[in-house]
Amino acid sequence: MSVETLHRPAHRDALVALERAFDRGDVVVVFGRCTVEYDGRAASSLGPGDRLLVLKPDGAALVHTDEKRTPVNWQPPGSEHRASVRDGRLRVQSRRTTPEEVLDVRFERVDQLSAFSVTERAELALTGSEEDLRTRILDDPSLVEAGFEPLETERETSAGPVDVFGRDSAGRAVVVELKRRRVGPGAVRQLQGYVDAVGREVGDEAVRGVLVAPSVTDRAAALLDERGFGFVALEPDEAAAAEGENGPDDERETGDERSDD
């Protein structure tokens, strides 16, 4: 598990770290002096105080004080985290649209920010690499999709080397991006870069993109769908794949109701 920690960071440095963490699909904790505003089915406001903010890649957000086991405010899974710097403060928002509600945390001071690449239970046993994924796909191209034919590996493009390049059963060009661990939107944007680069090389021909990884965050899944890319859930090695048959459940958005006590 990798960890990135900043002590008393400037707001701009904290913003950069948060954006990287969101792209990677990390669990993030931020401690500092902040205000908290909630607007949705009800409205609430917390004045300045020292609090702990926890942001999870499934969209959940929790604000804790030094008392009690439950957060003083939160957002459920399925929300989207965003960060910015406004009026000399680091602003972190967690928003969802059904129903429409926003948790808005504004830090006047950040004492510590940490990002953790927490993996699911099956992924903790992951010892393979992207090369393992490539080998599995070359040995059995149908893992990508029926009729897929790999033609090149590490194909050089203006955006960098493509992990696997091939063609589907209809003869269309396919760019396959491999990731050994759970990924966020950054991996989708990387795949987009490769698809665009290959598209420039092949001219008018349409180029498809497929992301192969053990799992993706909700934000990454939405971006894959938006850009028309495919996703294949695949572990780097046979042992991890077999273990994954009884592994974690699929990600689900919940309809948790917020209590107003």
Side-chain angles (χ1 to χ4, degrees), residues 1-237:
M1 179 180 71
S2 64
V3 180
E4 178 182 5
T5 297
L6 301 178
H7 296 282
R8 288 292 180 96
H11 290 328
R12 288 290 176 186
D13 293 335
L15 173 61
V16 171
L18 281 171
E19 290 177 338
R20 286 199 303 259
F22 293 159
D23 279 349
R24 292 192 302 260
D26 289 353
V27 172
V28 179
V29 294
V30 187
F31 183 81
R33 189 164 185 81
C34 63
T35 60
V36 183
E37 304 285 339
Y38 166 75
D39 185 27
R41 286 167 288 170
S44 65
S45 180
L46 287 171
D50 293 336
R51 301 182 180 99
L52 179 72
L53 172 64
V54 181
L55 302 167
K56 299 184 180 182
D58 65 358
L62 307 106
V63 180
H64 283 278
T65 66
D66 61 346
E67 296 180 335
K68 302 181 180 179
R69 62 181 178 83
T70 56
V72 292
N73 218 323
W74 73 94
Q75 283 283 71
S79 304
E80 182 176 3
H81 308 315
R82 294 184 181 276
S84 61
V85 174
R86 294 285 186 274
D87 301 322
R89 291 187 174 190
L90 175 69
R91 183 177 183 180
V92 183
Q93 285 189 321
S94 182
R95 178 187 298 269
R96 71 169 177 165
T97 56
T98 308
E100 179 68 34
E101 57 182 352
V102 181
L103 181 67
D104 192 346
V105 183
R106 304 187 188 195
F107 288 90
E108 62 180 78
R109 184 191 73 239
V110 177
D111 294 314
Q112 182 170 310
L113 184 155
S114 296
F116 304 86
S117 60
V118 179
T119 54
E120 299 174 5
R121 181 166 58 89
E123 293 180 310
L124 291 175
L126 186 60
T127 58
S129 64
E130 290 175 11
E131 181 58 36
D132 294 326
L133 281 176
R134 183 165 28 244
T135 298
R136 292 190 66 196
I137 288 171
L138 294 178
D139 288 343
D140 184 5
S142 66
L143 289 172
V144 174
E145 63 184 30
F148 175 66
E149 180 184 4
L151 300 175
E152 297 179 62
T153 61
E154 297 297 320
R155 172 174 173 156
E156 289 296 335
T157 73
S158 59
V162 169
D163 289 329
V164 180
F165 172 79
R167 294 194 177 271
D168 62 18
S169 58
R172 292 170 296 189
V174 181
V175 170
V176 180
E177 174 64 12
L178 307 175
K179 295 296 183 184
R180 68 178 296 273
R181 61 181 292 272
R182 176 183 174 87
V183 293
V188 184
R189 289 192 283 269
Q190 183 181 10
L191 175 58
Q192 181 72 69
Y194 294 146
V195 167
D196 291 345
V198 172
R200 290 190 292 270
E201 295 174 6
V202 299
D204 295 334
E205 182 183 352
V207 179
R208 297 176 54 211
V210 177
L211 177 63
V212 176
S215 63
V216 297
T217 65
D218 287 340
R219 290 179 66 201
L223 196 57
L224 284 166
D225 184 64
E226 176 186 313
R227 302 191 181 189
F229 294 154
F231 170 66
V232 176
L234 189 65
E235 300 280 357
D237 58 69

